[in-house]
Amino acid sequence: MTVPTPIVAGNWKMNTDIAGGTALAAAIAAGVGAIVGVDLVVCPPFVSLAAVRDAVAGSGVSVGAQNMHADGNGAFTGEIAPPMLVGLCEYVIIGHSERRQFFGETDDSVGRKVAAAVAHELRPIVCVGETLSERESGNAAEVIRWQVTSALAELDAGDADGLVIAYEPVWAIGTGRAATPEIADQIMGGAIRSTMAAVLGLDVAAAVPLLYGGSVNAANAAEFAAVENVNGALVGGASLDAGSFLAVAVAFAGA
Ligand SMILES: O=C(CO)COP(=O)(O)O
């Protein structure tokens, strides 16, 4: 069975202007040379995609968008369509919990966006994760299974080549309260991998990189890197500093 190459992706969220993002991307590109065996991805705001693409060109660092619409074009003021991202980035984050919480994204829209990303040969980084109340009521695994099933609803096994799934428990995002490696292992090795296997088949499921996200930093990355079913990280706050982002990547390179 194929063991996925680790991916460490930085979600810059609504931070950095074009100049600041370009500088951050250039600093990451300058430091990545010594890190082997891990794929780095930076996900700046839409307006900086072109500048960041140019800043990391030739470094091996990839670029991702943070969201997109499912349709190819149309009267959707303020939205970005998949074909508009082609040539700007290779990855696109889909269904981040902040999109679900603040912008009305649903399991259904996430499924449509994942299919649209695959159709345009963009690699979707699909985010799933339970809220604190879902965890406290004992429903975390069930919520995750449902989110993964919905996200993959329009795919078949042949579509899963570029797929990446990120487990980001909502209570761990931006709180400094990361999940424990045991929780990451239970959800990622259990609920996520087994749901994918049911939908896509065992071999395909085993090859999909699973990222942990939620308060990952230079100090705790190695704990997650040591977990068998954690194939990388989706990093928020700590990805806004080149040194700490690269340190997270080093932890996964050495795992
Ligand atoms: O939401 C996240 C990445 O997508 C995680 O954010 P933090 O690393 O800031 O907790």
Side-chain angles (χ1 to χ4, degrees), residues 11 13 96 98 168 172-175 213-216 234-238:
N11 176 8
K13 307 191 179 182
H96 191 281
E98 289 150 14
E168 297 205 311
I173 294 177
T175 58
S215 298
V216 175
L234 182 54
V235 188

Side-chain angles (χ1 to χ4, degrees), residues 161-174:
D161 259 4
L163 184 66
V164 180
I165 295 193
Y167 169 54
E168 297 205 311
V170 177
W171 47 270
I173 294 177

Side-chain angles (χ1 to χ4, degrees), residues 33-56:
I35 305 173
V36 290
V38 53
D39 292 336
L40 271 73
V41 184
V42 290
C43 304
F46 285 125
V47 293
S48 301
L49 281 171
V52 166
R53 173 200 60 191
D54 294 347
V56 301

